Amino acid sequence: MGRYVIRRLLQMIPVFIGATFLIFVMVYALGDPVAALFGDKAPDPATAARIREDLGLDKPLWQQYLHYMGNIFRGDFGTAFNGQKVTELMATAFPVTAKLTLVAIVIEIVVGIALGVVSGLKRGRPLDTSLLVLTLIVISVPTFVSGYLLQYLFGLKLGWVRPTVSTDAPLNELILPGIVLALVSLAYVTRLTRTSIAENARADYVRTAVAKGLPRRRVITKHLLRNSLIPVVTFIGADIGALMGGAIVTERIFNIHGVGYQLYNGILRGNTPTVVGFVTILVLVFLVANLLVDLLYAVLDPRIRYA
Amino acid sequence: MRGATHAKWAACAVTVALAATACGGGGSGGGSGDGSGIVRSSWGDPQNPLEPANTNEVQGGKVLDMLFRGLKKYDPKSGEAQDLIAEKIETTDSQNFTVTIKDGWTFSNGEKVTAKSFVDAWNYGAHVDNKQNNAPFFSNIKGYDEVHPEGGAAKAKTMSGLVVKDDKTFTVELKDKFSTWPETLGYQAFSPLPEAFFKDHDAWLSKPIGNGPYTVDSYAKGSEMKLRAWDGYKGEDKARNGGVDLKVYTDNNTAYTDLMAGNLDLVDDVPAQQLKNVKADLGDRYINQPALIIQTLVFPMYEANWSKAGMEKVRRGLSMAINRDEITKQIFEETRTPAKDWTSAALGDKGGYKDVCGDACTYNPDEAKKLVAEGGGLPGGKITISSNVDTGSHRVWMDAVCNSINNALGKGSCTVNPIGTFADFKNQLGAYKFTGPFRSGWQADYPLIQNFLQPLYYKNGSSNYGKFDNKAFNDLVDKANQETDQAKATEDFQNAEKILAEQMPAIPLWYQNGSAGYSDQVSDVTLNQFSVPVYDQIKVN
C-alpha cells in the first residue's frame, strides 16, 4: 500500500511538468498582453519595453518557462498585473471555490445517489422512466441557462435567497450556486448509480443475501450499494477537479470571487502567472483526487488490493 | 453590525417577495437623508495598481475621483476646468508657467499638500523605472526625455522643467508652447501624492491615502473597497453621503440583477441585453447621456492604395454609405449618438463640438456610390473591416455597417474581420497590419478638443494608428497650441477638423453614451463627461 502510494506520487511529477508546460505555451500563444494594458491609447514604447523586461516577456519561451518553474519551486508564483501576488490571489480564491465545490459535491452525492438507488430498484417503472427523462433534460440545459433562470426565480421573483454571493461567501449563500454547479453532474451520478444498481440487483451475492433472510434495507445498503458505488466514486473523484476549474460560468453568474473568476480575469488580460499558477494547483488537486479514488476502491471492494 | 444586517436582509427578502419593492435602504446603514447613508455601487477590478499616474481606465478612475483632488477640476456638468487647489497658474509665453497653490489643503493622514507634493508626484509618474501607464502625459515638460528615454536607462531622476520655489509655488517649463496646458491639469495623472506614498509604497497601495472627499476604510483587492466620507475634507465638494461601497462584478448582468433585488444602489454600466427592459424596470432612474468617447473607422493611410490622390472621395463615399441613425437605434437602443464630427457631443458647443462633418456623415447611398466610382472604386474591389469582438457588441455593429455599405455599393463590397481578443487587436494595430479600415475607440482624458485631434491625427501622434499626415492639419494644430486665447485655439482646432472632413482619414461612427441605473434609495445621481458617477453629490434617502 505504502509503496503503491509512493509510486503514484512519483508518477505525478512528469504529469505536473507536462501540464504546466502545455498551459504555459497556450497562454503564451494568446499573444503579447502588454499593449492591451494601455487601453485605447498606443502603448508608450519605453514603458511597454520596461514592463516586458520585468515580466520576462522579452526572452524566448523556453527561458521564460524555466525561469517561471524555478520561481515556483521557491514558492514564488509571480505577480498579477494589478500588482497582487498570485499566491495572495490563491489564498482568497481557493477557499471560496473549495466551499462551493464542497456544497456541490454534497448535493451531488446525497441527491444523486438517492435518486439513482430509487430509480435502479424500480427499473422500468414509471418513476424510473420519469427520472431518466428528467436527468436528460438537466444534462441538456447548459449551466448559464439554469444559472440565470434559478437566480431570477429564487433571487428576484421569490426573493428567497440573495441573487449574488457576498465577499466572504458564507455557506448559506452558496447553496443556490452549489445546486446550479452540481446539476449536470448530479444527473450523471443518478444515471450511473441507477445502471449499476439495476445490474447488481440480479447478481448472485444479492440473491444469496436475500435467501439468507437478511432484511431488505441491509441487503441494499451493505451489499448492493457498496458494490455498485465503484463507478460512481470514480466519476465523483474526477468531478472534484472539474467542478473546481469549471465553475467559471457559475462564479460569474453569482458573482463569486473564486478560482473561476481569477482564471477568467487572467485569461482576458493574458496574464501568464495567474493562469499557469491556478491551473497548476488545479492539476495537483486533480491528481490527488484521482489517487484518493483509487485508494477508495480497495475500501469499497475487498477484492482489490494494492501492492 | 454584521448580524443585524443579515437579519435586515431576511426581512428585506420577505418584503421583496410580497411587494416586489427594492429595499436598499436597509443595507445602507440606516441613513435617512441625514448624509450618513452608504451608497452601494458596482465596480470592476482595476487593471493596474491604483496609482494616479498608472490608471487609465474608468474603474480605477472612479476610485481616484473620490480619493484625489488636483490643481484643477472639471465641472461635472460643463466640463470646464476650474481652479481647485491651484490659486493661480500664470504664464506670459504659453511655455513657462508659475503655479501657486492654495493654503489649507491636507492629505487624510495629516500631511500638508505643498508644491513638493505635486512635483514629486509628477516626477514619479514620468520616470521610466516606475512603469507608469500615463507617463506620456508629462512628456511636454522639459527634461522628460532624460527621465523617460525611448530606450535604455534614465539619465536623470527628476525633470529639469519642474522647480519648487517654496511651499506654495512651483514653476513648470514646457518643451514647446502649449496654451491649453493648464486645462489638462484636471486629469488624474496630475494628482499630488503624500510622502507616505514614497516611504512605504506597498502599504500605500493596500490602503491608498489621498486628499479628496473620501478615505479608504478597507480594501479587499479584487472584490470590494469601502470608502468613507472624510470629515477633515476642506473642499467645497464635500461628500453628501456617508460613504461608498464599491463591489466588484465580473458580469454586468449580475450587477443589474442585484440592483433589481435591492442589493445594490448604483450600476454604471447597464448590460446590452437589459436595454429593452430598463425603462420599465427603472423609469427615470436610468441615465443615458453622451460621454467623451467616440468610435471611428480608421483608414490605413500607410497603405499606398488608400492614401493616393483621389481616394479621399472613396473614403468620403464609404462614410456616406453608413446609416448611423438606423444602427444606433436598432442595435444600440440609442445608447450611441450618431457622430457629426471627430470630437464628442459631450464637449458642448463651448468646448468645440460642432457639426463639421455635415453631408459626409449623413446617409446618402446614391451619392456614396457616385463618390466611390469617381475616386476609382474600392481598392481590390472590396473592403474588410477589423475590430476586436470580445466586448462592446463590436461584432454586431460591424455586421450592420457592412450590410449598410453592401446595400449602398453593391453586394460583396464589405466583409468583416473579427479579432478574438483586445490584446491581439492592439498588437496588430501596433504592427500596422491592417490593409482595410479598422475600429478605433477613443476616450478623452480631459474635455478638450485638442485631446480628440492631436493624439489621433497629428503627424506621429501617439495614437495615430492610421499614420495620417497632412501638412495643413498639422499646421493648424500647431497654431492652435500657440494661441493664448482659448476661444481662438478652439476655432483653429475646428478649422483643422474641416480638413478631416475633406480627407476623411477616419470615419466618425458614433459617440458612446455613459449609462447608469440606480435604486430608489439614492437620488441626485449624475455622470460626469467621463461616464463616472459623481459620487460626492449622491444623496441616500
Side-chain angles (χ1 to χ4, degrees):
Chain A
M1 181 80 171
R3 280 183 61 187
Y4 174 77
V5 173
I6 290 172
R7 207 169 64 219
R8 285 288 301 264
L9 287 175
L10 286 177
Q11 279 170 2
M12 284 184 191
I13 296 173
V15 176
F16 174 76
I17 292 176
T20 48
F21 183 71
L22 278 179
I23 300 151
F24 203 89
V25 173
M26 279 189 258
V27 182
Y28 184 85
L30 284 176
D32 180 6
V34 176
L37 287 179
F38 291 82
D40 288 331
K41 287 196 194 81
D44 172 57
T47 310
R50 196 57 74 93
I51 295 176
R52 283 196 190 100
E53 193 186 318
D54 275 19
L55 296 174
L57 291 172
D58 51 344
K59 296 195 183 71
L61 176 62
W62 64 272
Q63 272 189 24
Q64 286 186 42
Y65 179 69
L66 285 185
H67 178 74
Y68 178 77
M69 287 310 275
N71 279 343
I72 278 197
F73 285 113
R74 273 181 267 135
D76 177 9
F77 277 81
T79 314
F81 287 143
N82 67 359
Q84 266 183 296
K85 288 244 173 285
V86 173
T87 41
E88 217 176 279
L89 295 178
M90 288 175 178
T92 57
F94 270 100
V96 174
T97 299
K99 258 197 271 182
L100 178 64
T101 310
L102 191 77
V103 172
I105 292 279
V106 167
I107 293 171
E108 211 177 297
I109 291 175
V110 174
V111 182
I113 293 181
L115 289 179
V117 170
V118 172
S119 148
L121 290 175
K122 309 253 177 207
R123 203 163 86 117
R125 308 265 183 81
L127 180 75
D128 178 34
T129 318
S130 46
L131 269 177
L132 276 181
V133 172
L134 207 70
T135 52
L136 191 69
I137 294 172
V138 169
I139 288 172
S140 53
V141 174
T143 308
F144 69 87
V145 174
S146 56
Y148 280 123
L149 204 72
L150 293 182
Q151 180 188 44
Y152 181 73
L153 189 68
F154 294 109
L156 216 55
K157 260 284 139 358
L158 299 172
W160 291 355
V161 290
R162 263 182 74 114
T164 58
V165 175
S166 36
T167 312
D168 39 354
L171 271 181
N172 60 335
E173 288 178 9
L174 288 174
I175 292 174
L176 184 64
I179 292 174
V180 170
L181 187 58
L183 268 181
V184 174
S185 302
L186 191 151
Y188 282 118
V189 169
T190 307
R191 293 195 143 204
L192 273 174
T193 317
R194 176 201 170 268
T195 317
S196 196
I197 290 266
E199 227 168 69
N200 288 337
R202 284 175 295 181
D204 290 344
Y205 64 86
V206 175
R207 205 177 313 136
T208 313
V210 174
K212 273 201 294 188
L214 284 180
R216 184 176 154 80
R217 201 188 156 74
R218 200 171 156 77
V219 176
I220 292 173
T221 50
K222 279 277 168 190
H223 296 261
L224 181 54
L225 191 57
R226 188 166 158 177
N227 281 294
S228 306
L229 277 184
I230 289 186
V232 181
V233 167
T234 315
F235 176 79
I236 292 177
D239 208 33
I240 292 177
L243 285 181
M244 285 194 84
I248 294 186
V249 177
T250 315
E251 291 195 358
R252 233 174 105 84
I253 295 173
F254 293 96
N255 202 38
I256 301 167
H257 296 164
V259 173
Y261 162 71
Q262 297 295 354
L263 274 177
Y264 176 81
N265 259 352
I267 292 170
L268 211 66
R269 294 173 182 180
N271 196 349
T272 321
T274 319
V275 180
V276 183
F278 273 82
V279 177
T280 305
I281 300 289
L282 286 177
V283 168
L284 286 178
V285 169
F286 214 85
L287 291 174
V288 171
N290 261 325
L291 176 61
L292 288 179
V293 167
D294 285 352
L295 294 179
L296 257 182
Y297 286 167
V299 178
L300 287 171
D301 188 340
R303 284 170 299 187
I304 298 173
R305 287 272 178 276
Y306 293 118
Chain B
M1 193 61 217
R2 192 94 221 142
T5 325
H6 277 291
K8 235 179 260 175
W9 278 118
C12 251
V14 177
T15 325
V16 171
L18 292 176
T21 53
C23 45
S28 302
S32 48
D34 59 354
S36 67
I38 307 293
V39 182
R40 298 159 305 163
S41 175
S42 70
W43 196 30
D45 189 27
Q47 208 168 21
N48 301 308
L50 275 174
E51 299 156 300
N54 206 10
T55 297
N56 58 359
E57 39 78 49
V58 179
Q59 300 305 337
K62 229 183 235 183
V63 178
L64 296 181
D65 211 33
M66 289 191 258
L67 282 184
F68 283 99
R69 286 295 177 262
L71 291 171
K72 295 231 179 201
K73 184 172 184 276
Y74 300 118
D75 182 83
K77 274 221 174 66
S78 66
E80 203 184 328
Q82 295 156 337
D83 285 344
L84 189 69
I85 298 184
E87 195 171 279
K88 52 185 192 248
I89 301 173
E90 291 170 317
T91 181
T92 48
D93 56 359
S94 295
Q95 188 165 5
N96 289 286
F97 294 84
T98 307
V99 182
T100 315
I101 63 171
K102 282 180 195 154
D103 259 339
W105 282 82
T106 57
F107 292 99
S108 58
N109 64 352
E111 276 180 47
K112 272 186 142 180
V113 180
T114 63
K116 194 168 174 290
S117 317
F118 285 97
V119 171
D120 285 354
W122 296 4
N123 277 325
Y124 180 87
H127 204 281
V128 67
D129 287 351
N130 301 324
K131 295 174 289 178
Q132 302 284 297
N133 246 312
N134 290 331
F137 281 92
F138 305 101
S139 61
N140 32 36
I141 298 173
K142 200 181 163 203
Y144 176 79
D145 298 327
E146 272 73 54
V147 296
H148 199 111
E150 283 205 18
K155 294 182 205 72
K157 278 217 160 71
T158 56
M159 290 181 280
S160 55
L162 294 176
V163 182
V164 178
K165 293 284 175 203
D166 57 55
D167 258 12
K168 281 178 64 186
T169 332
F170 67 100
T171 58
V172 183
E173 188 185 339
L174 301 183
K175 282 189 223 157
D176 304 296
K177 284 180 196 272
F178 184 8
S179 62
T180 47
W181 180 76
E183 316 296 316
T184 68
L185 296 176
Y187 187 61
Q188 285 152 345
F190 296 102
S191 301
L193 286 169
E195 286 284 331
F197 176 89
F198 305 99
K199 273 196 194 125
D200 191 347
H201 193 64
D202 287 343
W204 191 92
L205 279 182
S206 52
K207 204 175 173 184
I209 297 162
N211 62 337
Y214 292 90
T215 58
V216 177
D217 186 52
S218 69
Y219 181 20
K221 274 186 193 164
S223 59
E224 199 172 20
M225 180 184 257
K226 289 183 196 293
L227 295 127
R228 291 296 170 262
W230 175 35
D231 291 338
Y233 183 67
K234 293 289 184 304
E236 278 173 20
D237 49 350
K238 216 169 154 62
R240 292 180 204 171
N241 46 55
V244 178
D245 286 353
L246 295 173
K247 194 168 180 219
V248 172
Y249 285 85
T250 23
D251 184 351
N252 54 6
N253 265 305
T254 309
Y256 191 79
T257 307
D258 250 358
L259 175 72
M260 291 287 103
N263 289 337
L264 204 62
D265 294 320
L266 174 62
V267 295
D268 61 347
D269 178 22
V270 176
Q273 297 92 315
Q274 301 288 0
L275 287 175
K276 284 203 169 73
N277 317 325
V278 72
K279 286 250 165 64
D281 285 345
L282 296 171
D284 55 1
R285 286 180 284 115
Y286 165 60
I287 304 174
N288 175 25
Q289 67 183 44
L292 290 171
I293 306 172
I294 185 171
Q295 297 284 350
T296 59
L297 273 182
V298 177
F299 289 101
M301 302 299 277
Y302 47 81
E303 291 275 327
N305 52 6
W306 275 113
S307 58
K308 66 182 183 221
M311 285 307 281
E312 70 275 358
K313 282 194 174 161
V314 177
R315 298 194 295 264
R316 271 172 72 98
L318 280 169
S319 173
M320 288 176 162
I322 299 167
N323 193 342
R324 295 171 179 76
D325 290 322
E326 184 91 5
I327 295 171
T328 49
K329 210 172 283 163
Q330 297 299 329
I331 293 176
F332 292 117
E333 301 273 340
E334 294 181 340
T335 56
R336 306 285 190 277
T337 313
K340 294 192 168 100
D341 74 345
W342 284 261
T343 66
S344 160
L347 267 188
D349 295 340
K350 218 179 141 202
Y353 166 68
K354 194 176 165 191
D355 183 356
V356 184
C357 191
D359 288 346
C361 288
T362 315
Y363 180 57
N364 188 344
D366 299 331
E367 184 70 17
K369 200 165 186 172
K370 208 176 107 200
L371 274 173
V372 171
E374 275 175 24
L378 301 173
K382 61 176 231 164
I383 58 165
T384 304
I385 300 179
S386 304
S387 168
N388 59 314
V389 289
D390 47 352
T391 52
S393 327
H394 291 320
R395 179 70 208 246
V396 188
W397 71 252
M398 279 207 313
D399 285 336
V401 163
C402 254
N403 271 334
S404 190
I405 291 175
N406 283 335
N407 287 340
L409 304 180
K411 275 218 169 77
S413 314
C414 178
T415 49
V416 296
N417 168 28
I419 294 163
T421 65
F422 183 58
D424 192 11
F425 176 65
K426 281 294 295 275
N427 288 331
Q428 295 195 36
L429 268 184
Y432 304 103
K433 277 202 177 145
F434 296 116
T435 53
F438 49 87
R439 178 188 78 85
S440 166
W442 183 255
Q443 169 152 32
D445 307 298
Y446 29 81
L448 279 185
I449 185 169
Q450 177 264 349
N451 194 246
F452 279 101
L453 302 178
Q454 194 166 355
L456 296 170
Y457 312 112
Y458 190 76
K459 185 185 183 187
N460 296 330
S462 58
S463 297
N464 187 349
Y465 284 117
K467 289 207 174 172
F468 176 67
D469 182 9
N470 180 293
K471 188 163 182 311
F473 179 86
N474 299 341
D475 289 348
L476 277 166
V477 169
D478 286 339
K479 182 165 170 255
N481 282 334
Q482 284 166 20
E483 213 85 68
T484 42
D485 179 36
Q486 185 134 19
K488 269 196 186 138
T490 305
E491 213 181 293
D492 290 337
F493 278 120
Q494 281 174 339
N495 287 334
E497 256 192 287
K498 283 182 188 148
I499 290 163
L500 298 183
E502 280 163 27
Q503 294 294 320
M504 198 64 77
I507 299 177
L509 293 172
W510 35 75
Y511 314 120
Q512 197 161 319
N513 290 13
S515 68
Y518 52 98
S519 74
D520 53 7
Q521 297 303 313
V522 293
S523 58
D524 292 26
V525 181
T526 50
L527 298 179
N528 65 18
Q529 290 91 350
F530 307 99
S531 8
V532 173
V534 186
Y535 284 103
D536 53 65
Q537 291 181 359
I538 298 175
K539 283 185 190 143
V540 180
N541 303 335

